[in-house]
Amino acid sequence: MRNKRRVATALGIDFNLHHLSAGETTDSVLELVARLNASPGVDAILVQLPLPVLIDPARVIEAVDPGKDADGFHPLNIGRLAEGRPGLALPGTPAGCMELLRHYAVPVSGARAVVIGRSTIVGRPMALLLVNANATVTICHSRTVDLPGICREADILVVAAGRPGMVDSTYVKPGACVIDVGTTLVEGKLCGDVDFDSVRQVAGHLSPVPGGVGPMTIAMLMRNTLALARARRVITD
Ligand code: NAD
């Protein structure tokens, strides 16, 4: 959150943090969201996950006005993404991965892509963005059989399992593009899911942790915010 505030402030975006107190309930958070939805001065709302256990994240995310959905997690926006006609705001981490692929001119159309992880915030939207860009996509998860074998077929391998160091060179086709999304604190140090020193021997491109997808996620959040703010002004001006 500190980095999000820092980047937003540097860009001239008014950033207001609504810190939830210990006694907060789903209903009180829904009231806050309703106030922000109704406020003409608010262009974008981010629900920082995970929420405290007593608060239902699905109800809170669904309550956000889809036109102020900074993270692109509202079911309407995810549904549009699934239909192949995404809205203005795309889920930040997967969109950041797509931006890395675009920036480094990694061919996506026709490529074999494998995504490890099927969460609603990373794995699933990542797979949708890749398929919308005409990749042939396989989603792997904790019950996948022969994970290394499937990963070795990938031209693009996106790893978002939250298992530090699980992907080594035996998972990687020579020349493949590997994007490490995982972030786990191990003895105070941020570790990715990819064994960097092993995979760098075979990969054509390798996005590291820290320093790869993390900053891109924040950049995409800012891009979403700008797009939502512009759209609201076009409508109301
Ligand atoms: P999650 O726990 O919701 O999902 C993890 C997924 O990985 C699940 O679908 C699970 O089936 C799969 N998985 C777990 N162990 C596996 C295994 N051994 N083999 C195959 N699949 C396995 O996590 P998430 O929210 O999707 O996040 C994934 C990782 O990405 C975490 O480390 C998280 O901290 C990180 N993350 C980073 C950013 C960023 O900005 N860099 C943003 C979001 C998440």
Side-chain angles (χ1 to χ4, degrees):
M1 191 51 78
R2 211 178 50 222
N3 286 335
K4 288 170 188 163
R5 182 200 288 274
R6 182 177 53 75
V7 176
T9 306
L11 292 174
I13 297 172
D14 275 342
F15 180 102
N16 289 293
L17 179 64
H18 297 264
H19 203 90
L20 303 182
S21 59
E24 218 81 55
T25 61
T26 300
D27 284 342
S28 65
V29 179
L30 291 177
E31 275 171 33
L32 170 63
V33 171
R35 272 204 312 278
L36 297 173
N37 282 343
S39 168
V42 173
D43 290 309
I45 302 167
L46 165 82
V47 180
Q48 181 67 44
L49 302 172
L51 291 171
V53 280
L54 293 178
I55 299 173
D56 180 348
R59 283 185 66 203
V60 174
I61 289 168
E62 275 187 46
V64 172
D65 177 343
K68 294 188 177 187
D69 175 26
D71 254 333
F73 290 158
H74 190 282
L76 185 77
N77 289 322
I78 292 290
R80 285 185 174 146
L81 185 61
E83 282 183 343
R85 50 177 197 102
L88 292 172
L90 296 173
T93 301
C97 295
M98 294 304 291
E99 196 56 29
L100 287 174
L101 294 171
R102 192 192 64 75
H103 183 82
Y104 290 100
V106 176
V108 177
S109 182
R112 289 292 305 267
V114 171
V115 178
I116 306 181
R118 58 178 165 183
S119 73
T120 48
I121 64 168
V122 187
R124 286 171 203 252
M126 184 73 242
L128 290 171
L129 285 170
L130 285 163
V131 85
N132 288 350
N134 300 319
T136 301
V137 184
T138 303
I139 303 177
C140 297
H141 46 77
S142 53
R143 309 289 170 86
T144 295
V145 175
D146 188 20
L147 184 65
I150 294 171
C151 292
R152 276 196 304 274
E153 293 174 5
D155 304 307
I156 298 167
L157 177 60
V158 181
V159 190
R163 301 277 180 266
M166 72 174 269
V167 167
D168 63 17
S169 61
T170 65
Y171 286 61
V172 179
K173 176 159 112 179
C177 172
V178 180
I179 301 182
D180 190 358
V181 178
T183 48
T184 309
L185 272 182
V186 181
E187 291 168 4
K189 193 171 157 248
L190 200 61
C191 291
D193 290 349
V194 173
D195 178 341
F196 187 86
D197 289 334
S198 169
V199 169
R200 74 188 302 186
Q201 312 288 335
V202 287
H205 294 83
L206 174 55
S207 172
V209 171
V213 171
M216 292 305 297
T217 299
I218 297 178
M220 295 301 101
L221 179 63
M222 300 303 145
R223 188 169 79 176
N224 286 345
T225 301
L226 184 62
L228 295 171
R230 280 194 171 137
R232 276 165 43 75
R233 274 151 192 72
V234 167
I235 291 164
T236 56
D237 280 357

